[in-house]
């Protein structure tokens, strides 16, 4: 068949009997079709586009690796200019080749190698019920489906993607009788050289029994051969540690009978959109799952023997399987050391999560992803570590980095795609605790101190503007006494929006205390004081006010911080410490000549004397404050001290005086929209009328106070009102209702740490239970 006319390009479909003949004649037809175009032959890409099949698939047809379906071959020769008569001859040729292929095919597919490339199943393994169920669900459609089943397991480095994939694969080996192919694509390894698709597919061809001498040199031909060999076979392909979609796509089978698992630190939206991959997000372990993992490594007895140390380890590792595994491995190799030793090491440094030096362990794992970040995303990550905030929105990130919001959003999108950050449903970005610790180390070692200080001051100033606007909505009556905020004001929210923002940002606000300038920390303390009191966030309040006191650079900052600390300790029932703080604050106010600061502390001292039974001293302090308030026309102080005097007179059983002062305080509260003062005054009016036996009036005032407490989420007020309602219903003989109110008050008082109201609730519960017990006897 190698005569001169053939070399001149004569095409003869009648001489086609084998796939090789078919390939030869199609090659000649491509050359004939290109005459006059200046090209030797029609290109593979051009032909694939004309016929409407992928280039890689066309390559297998043209080279004879795969016999094209009859209708596709018909379209190929038409695209290459075959005449109607030639088309008929090509149709006959197809049947001859198909018969040859059928006759030469080996009878038993089992003669082909069955690859078993999976690494060993991980031991031990715990949890992941949700993720395993998602993989099961994705695979149910595999046998007989009309499309390849692909699952993309995404998550941060060290989250356990490979272990999860291997565990599911070994648990489902029976579903893949024709074999399992595995390749580590090294997408994020220290070498920095991901496995090229050509290297990976040649490894698959070798596992499938293809002799090296007959593997095509062209990547498309290799991919076509690989897909031909796995077509129709029930196989699993596990592509581990993929860098991106381009690395994965050539390794996907073309048959719908297989299942593919892909693990990557990148989100792979191309795989989802093009191949309908099922994304499976691999997240941290729960506390219980982390505990089970440690127990399986170290034994249940050793874990049970040191519950506090185990909880500390779990808390520091924050559910990251790699970190837990490293701690467990170190503890297993040193069985005589208490777990508390490892817990202390973890608390000090990430060095405790290195196995055999800095090249291994947690830092190394994170670094493989970090080095792939664009410069702006890497800088954003470092600054996020330095600020110690667990979760920020784009506006806060923009303030931190000094970037425009659009630039900040793009940087966070990259961090989210690389699983350094998790985007929450309310459009915030959460950073895992250990990622933050890693990023903080990077910031400390690479960023100049002045750069870090400037970034933190920008972030604190951003939060101060937003917090000040929120407090203007929540406590407008205190606006004159809050520090001024330089620069453009934040947009004013309504009450519900303001409270929601403060609740969402509370952990960040606490984390930032002491991170900016001393002046910023003082403003943060004063701005948030009322929010902390109303919400009964007393632990956070002590943290912020203590930092403000520690960094204060002038007497006014120190006086404010001392007074706020004194107020918090008073709410908690620690009257000795409260008195000490307020006396220092009052003295500093006098030294400064600032009557407002002085008398705000004096008022608090009066409350402490009242609570501890020193009524004469309390009245003396209140009268000092009332004179100051009248002289200075300080309506906030006036309303507050009138209420306090009413409370004192109620305790002294001077009912008329108490009633007059409560009514005067209520009038001030309503005139100046001081809902906090209004609520507590209504509650105390309820208690007063109950003392007077006027239960209808008492119930009316208490109901009004409860409505205000719920509307403004004032948990301290709510606790007092619930106890008041319990006492009212007890007085009316409604013991079951009274018991329910006291029990609700007890739970709330314990949650917020108000010891006085907790004691009041406990006494109410006992009285009700004793009375109910007497009734049953």
């Amino acid at each position: 068949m190698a005569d001169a006319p053939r070399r001149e390009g004569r095409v003869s479909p009648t001489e086609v009997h084998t796939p090789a003949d078919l390939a030869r004649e199609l090659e000649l037809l491509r050359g004939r079709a290109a005459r006059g175009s200046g090209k030797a032959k029609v290109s593979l890409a051009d032909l694939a586009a004309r016929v409407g099949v992928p280039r890689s698939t066309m390559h297998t047809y043209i080279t004879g690796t795969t016999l094209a379906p009859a209708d596709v071959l018909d379209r190929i020769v038409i695209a290459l200019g075959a005449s109607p008569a030639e088309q008929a001859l090509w149709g006959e040729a197809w049947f001859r080749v198909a018969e040859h292929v059928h006759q030469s095919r080996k009878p038993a597919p089992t003669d082909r190698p069955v690859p078993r490339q999976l690494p060993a199943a991980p031991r031990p393994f715990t949890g992941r019920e949700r993720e395993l169920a998602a993989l099961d669900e994705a695979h149910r459609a595999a046998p007989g489906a009309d499309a390849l089943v692909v699952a993309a397991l995404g998550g941060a480095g060290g989250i356990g993607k490979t272990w999860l994939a291997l565990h599911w694969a070994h648990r489902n080996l029976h579903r893949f009788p024709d074999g399992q192919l595995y390749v580590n694509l090294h997408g994020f390894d220290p070498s920095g050289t991901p496995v090229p698709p050509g290297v990976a597919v040649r490894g698959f061809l070798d596992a499938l029994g293809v002799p090296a001498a007959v593997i095509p040199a062209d990547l498309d031909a290799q991919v076509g051969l690989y897909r031909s060999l796995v077509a129709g076979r029930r196989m699993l392909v596990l592509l581990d540690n993929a860098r991106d979609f381009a690395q994965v796509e050539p390794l996907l089978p073309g048959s719908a009978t297989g299942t593919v698992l892909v693990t990557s630190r990148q989100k792979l939206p191309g795989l989802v959109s093009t191949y309908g991959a099922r994304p499976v997000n691999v997240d941290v372990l729960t506390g219980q799952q982390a505990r089970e993992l440690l127990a399986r490594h170290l034994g249940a007895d050793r874990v049970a023997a040191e519950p506090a140390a185990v909880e500390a380890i779990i808390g520091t590792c924050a559910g990251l399987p790699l970190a837990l595994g490293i701690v467990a491995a170190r503890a297993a190799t040193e069985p005589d050391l208490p777990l508390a030793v490892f817990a202390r090491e973890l608390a000090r440094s990430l060095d405790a999560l290195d196995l055999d030096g800095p090249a291994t362990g947690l830092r190394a794992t994170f670094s493989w992803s970090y080095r792939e970040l664009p410069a702006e995303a890497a800088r954003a990550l470092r600054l996020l570590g330095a600020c110690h905030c667990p979760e920020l929105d784009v506006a806060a990130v923009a303030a931190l980095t000094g970037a425009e919001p659009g630039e900040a959003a793009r940087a966070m999108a990259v961090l989210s795609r690389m699983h350094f950050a998790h985007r929450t449903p309310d459009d915030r970005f959460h950073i895992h605790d250990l990622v933050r610790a890693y990023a903080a180390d990077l910031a400390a070692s690479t960023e100049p101190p002045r750069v870090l200080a400037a970034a933190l001051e920008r972030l604190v100033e951003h939060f101060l503007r937003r917090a000040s606007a929120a407090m203007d909505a929540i406590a407008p009556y205190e606006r004159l006494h809050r520090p001024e905020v330089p620069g453009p004001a934040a947009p004013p929210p309504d009450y519900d929006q303001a409270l929601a923002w403060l609740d969402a940002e509370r952990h960040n606000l606490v984390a930032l205390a002491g991170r900016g300038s001393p002046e910023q920390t003082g403003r943060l303390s004063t701005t948030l004081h009322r929010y902390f009191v109303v919400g009964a966030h007393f632990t956070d309040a002590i943290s912020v006010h203590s930092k403000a006191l520690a960094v204060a650079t002038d007497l006014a900052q120190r006086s404010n911080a001392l007074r706020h600390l004194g107020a918090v300790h008073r709410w908690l029932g620690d009257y000795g410490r409260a008195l000490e703080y307020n006396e220092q604050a009052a003295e500093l106010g006098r030294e400064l000549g600032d009557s407002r600061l002085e008398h705000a502390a004096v008022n608090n001292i009066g409350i402490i004397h009242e609570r501890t039974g020193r009524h004469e001293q309390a009245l003396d302090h209140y009268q000092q404050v009332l004179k100051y308030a009248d002289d200075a026309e300080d309506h906030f102080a006036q309303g507050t001290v009138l209420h306090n005097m009413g409370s004192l007179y109620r305790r002294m059983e001077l009912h008329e005086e108490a009633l007059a002062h409560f009514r005067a305080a209520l009038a001030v509260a309503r005139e100046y929209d001081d809902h906090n003062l209004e609520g507590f005054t209504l509650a105390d009016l309820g208690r007063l009328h109950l003392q007077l036996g006027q239960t209808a009036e008492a119930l009316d005032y208490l109901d009004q106070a409860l409505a205000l407490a719920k509307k403004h989420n004032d948990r301290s007020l709510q606790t007092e009102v619930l106890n008041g309602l319990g006492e009212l219903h007890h007085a009316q003989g409604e013991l079951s209702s009274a018991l329910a109110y006291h029990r609700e008050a007890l739970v709330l008082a314990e949650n917020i740490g108000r010891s006085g109201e907790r004691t009041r609730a406990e006494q109410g519960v006992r009285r009700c239970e004793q009375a109910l017990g007497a009734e049953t006897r």
Side-chain angles (χ1 to χ4, degrees):
M1 294 184 196
D3 55 10
R6 175 137 341 272
R7 284 193 295 273
E8 293 170 359
R10 180 174 59 81
V11 180
S12 178
T14 58
E15 299 181 23
V16 171
H17 298 276
T18 68
D21 296 337
L22 183 68
R24 182 192 63 231
E25 296 301 326
L26 286 175
E27 187 77 3
L28 292 171
L29 191 60
R30 288 171 67 192
R32 190 184 78 177
R35 287 174 184 166
S37 67
K39 298 179 179 179
K41 58 185 176 182
V42 176
S43 72
L44 197 61
D46 189 19
L47 182 57
R50 294 184 195 181
V51 177
V53 299
R55 182 179 182 276
S56 59
T57 303
M58 178 60 72
H59 189 280
T60 66
Y61 294 160
I62 290 295
T63 58
T65 304
T66 303
L67 177 60
D71 64 318
V72 176
L73 181 62
D74 196 37
R75 298 206 306 273
I76 291 172
V77 298
I78 291 172
L80 293 174
S83 67
E86 287 176 322
Q87 292 172 36
L89 293 176
W90 280 104
E92 294 172 3
W94 184 89
F95 282 105
R96 291 194 298 275
V97 175
E99 179 62 21
H100 174 85
V101 171
H102 177 72
Q103 293 297 330
S104 62
R105 182 175 292 160
K106 292 183 178 177
T110 54
D111 292 345
R112 294 180 294 182
V114 178
R116 308 289 187 191
Q117 290 191 314
L118 289 179
R123 295 287 187 272
F125 185 88
T126 189
R128 302 302 190 196
E129 291 81 5
R130 179 188 62 82
E131 293 89 345
L132 291 169
L135 291 174
D136 286 339
E137 179 61 29
H139 184 264
R140 287 193 185 100
D146 60 358
L148 179 69
V149 171
V150 183
L153 286 72
I159 205 71
K161 302 177 293 297
T162 299
W163 277 36
L164 171 62
L166 288 173
H167 181 78
W168 184 88
H170 280 279
R171 198 168 76 169
N172 291 275
L173 286 178
H174 61 282
R175 295 178 171 177
F176 310 109
D178 296 324
Q180 308 90 39
L181 295 169
Y182 171 87
V183 62
N184 183 348
L185 294 170
H186 296 286
F188 298 92
D189 274 8
S191 66
T193 54
V195 175
V199 173
V201 78
R202 284 196 296 274
F204 285 172
L205 290 173
D206 182 61
L208 292 165
V210 180
V214 299
I215 294 178
D218 182 75
L219 176 59
D220 287 335
Q222 294 169 5
V223 171
L225 178 58
Y226 156 63
R227 288 174 175 163
S228 299
L229 291 172
V230 299
R233 299 176 72 175
R234 294 175 61 191
M235 297 185 70
L236 172 69
V237 180
L238 175 47
L239 308 175
D240 193 20
N241 196 15
R243 182 186 182 90
D244 51 32
F245 176 53
Q247 189 187 27
V248 167
E249 187 178 26
L251 306 178
L252 300 178
S255 169
T257 57
T259 294
V260 180
L261 300 184
V262 182
T263 74
S264 180
R265 299 187 190 188
Q266 287 256 36
K267 294 178 180 177
L268 301 173
L271 197 61
V272 176
S273 62
T274 306
Y275 291 94
R278 170 75 174 266
V280 179
N281 183 51
V282 185
D283 208 343
V284 296
L285 298 174
T286 66
Q288 181 57 35
Q289 290 169 341
R291 200 171 293 105
E292 290 173 3
L293 183 63
L294 291 175
R296 292 187 180 186
H297 274 289
L298 304 174
D301 291 344
R302 188 175 180 189
V303 169
E306 294 187 73
V310 168
E311 290 307 309
I313 290 170
I314 291 172
T316 304
C317 293
L320 192 69
L322 175 61
L324 290 162
I326 291 172
V327 174
R330 293 189 60 219
T333 59
E334 300 185 77
D336 296 331
L337 279 182
L339 296 181
V341 171
F342 301 102
R344 288 194 295 272
E345 289 179 355
L346 272 177
R348 285 196 297 268
S349 169
L350 285 181
D351 291 343
L353 293 173
D354 289 338
L355 279 174
D356 300 313
T360 61
L362 194 71
R363 275 198 182 92
T365 300
F366 287 161
S367 71
W368 303 339
S369 296
Y370 172 75
R371 70 182 181 197
E372 302 299 328
L373 293 175
E376 286 307 310
R379 177 174 178 271
L381 180 63
R382 293 194 299 272
L383 294 180
L384 285 165
C387 77
H388 295 182
C389 294
E391 193 175 280
L392 294 176
D393 61 16
V394 167
V397 175
L400 175 69
T401 60
E404 294 296 321
E407 295 173 1
R410 286 189 289 274
M412 294 311 297
V414 172
L415 294 180
S416 176
R417 187 168 66 246
M418 294 287 287
H419 293 283
F420 276 118
H422 169 67
R423 191 172 186 173
T424 65
D426 56 350
D427 213 22
R428 296 160 64 82
F429 291 90
H430 176 78
I431 311 293
H432 187 279
D433 291 352
L434 291 177
V435 172
R436 280 194 290 114
Y438 169 73
D441 284 354
L442 283 174
S445 62
T446 61
E447 298 286 354
R450 58 178 177 76
V451 171
L452 293 180
L456 289 170
E457 287 186 13
R458 285 194 303 268
L459 182 61
V460 175
E461 201 61 36
H462 163 80
F463 275 111
L464 273 168
R465 283 196 295 271
R466 296 290 301 272
S468 182
M471 291 309 299
D472 283 349
I474 287 176
Y477 46 86
E478 286 188 342
R479 186 177 292 129
L480 293 176
H481 300 319
R482 278 193 293 274
E484 293 184 9
V485 179
D494 62 26
Y495 186 94
D496 291 338
Q497 290 171 335
L499 187 59
W501 183 86
L502 286 164
D503 287 343
E505 300 292 356
R506 176 160 56 91
H507 295 302
N508 288 331
L509 292 164
V510 174
L512 287 169
R515 307 287 295 164
S517 68
E519 185 268 340
Q520 285 179 322
T521 302
R523 283 197 284 138
L524 193 67
S525 167
T526 299
T527 300
L528 296 175
H529 169 63
R530 182 60 55 188
Y531 164 71
F532 286 145
V533 168
V534 170
H537 306 301
F538 297 127
T539 301
D540 290 339
I542 289 173
S543 174
V544 172
H545 302 327
S546 295
K547 289 175 182 175
L549 180 61
V551 301
T553 57
D554 62 46
L555 296 183
Q557 291 175 10
R558 187 170 178 79
S559 177
N560 274 318
L562 286 165
R563 177 167 51 85
H564 297 328
L565 280 168
V568 172
H569 284 290
R570 172 176 61 77
W571 282 104
L572 292 172
D574 186 352
Y575 295 123
R577 189 172 299 180
L579 183 61
E580 178 184 348
Y581 282 134
N582 277 293
E583 285 178 339
Q584 292 180 48
E587 180 59 34
L588 288 175
R590 281 190 290 273
E591 186 176 338
L592 279 167
D594 190 324
S595 293
R596 188 187 66 80
L597 286 181
E598 176 189 354
H599 287 91
V602 169
N603 182 66
N604 286 340
I605 294 171
I607 297 173
I608 296 165
H609 286 317
E610 178 191 340
R611 297 290 192 273
T612 53
R614 297 190 288 268
H615 293 164
E616 289 185 7
Q617 294 96 318
L619 184 58
D620 176 60
H621 282 77
Y622 289 155
Q623 288 171 339
Q624 292 179 47
V625 176
L626 184 59
K627 182 179 186 307
Y628 150 76
D630 289 341
D631 292 344
E633 297 184 354
D634 186 336
H635 303 295
F636 175 72
Q638 184 182 53
T640 301
V641 75
L642 285 169
H643 166 264
N644 291 343
M645 293 178 78
S647 174
L648 176 62
Y649 286 132
R650 183 188 62 79
R651 293 175 188 273
M652 297 170 69
E653 297 187 354
L654 299 173
H655 299 143
E656 291 300 323
E657 290 87 343
L659 186 59
H661 281 81
F662 281 145
R663 286 174 175 169
L666 191 60
V668 173
R670 287 173 171 169
E671 181 178 357
Y672 294 99
D673 195 25
D674 186 341
H675 58 77
N676 183 258
L677 175 60
E678 180 182 5
F680 279 98
T681 304
L682 288 168
D684 278 343
L685 277 166
R687 295 183 74 177
L688 175 61
H689 283 286
L690 179 59
Q691 283 180 278
L692 295 172
Q694 299 165 347
T695 55
E697 291 87 345
L699 181 60
D700 178 52
Y701 282 123
L702 289 171
D703 282 345
Q704 290 183 59
L706 186 61
L708 268 178
K710 290 181 176 179
K711 178 181 178 181
H712 297 291
N713 194 35
D714 192 330
R715 298 196 295 167
S716 286
L717 173 60
Q718 190 171 345
T719 308
E720 293 194 16
V721 176
L722 288 170
N723 271 326
L725 286 168
E727 290 158 358
L728 173 63
H729 284 279
H730 187 278
Q732 292 179 320
E734 298 166 351
L735 298 178
S736 296
S737 296
L739 181 60
Y741 278 121
H742 282 306
R743 282 177 173 168
E744 189 177 353
L746 180 58
V747 170
L748 195 52
E750 288 177 339
N751 286 339
I752 66 177
R754 286 203 60 187
S755 59
E757 290 301 315
R758 184 183 67 239
T759 300
R760 183 181 171 193
E762 288 170 343
Q763 292 171 347
V765 168
R766 281 197 298 272
R767 285 195 303 270
C768 291
E769 288 177 341
Q770 290 169 358
L772 286 168
E775 285 185 356
T776 58
R777 290 195 296 272

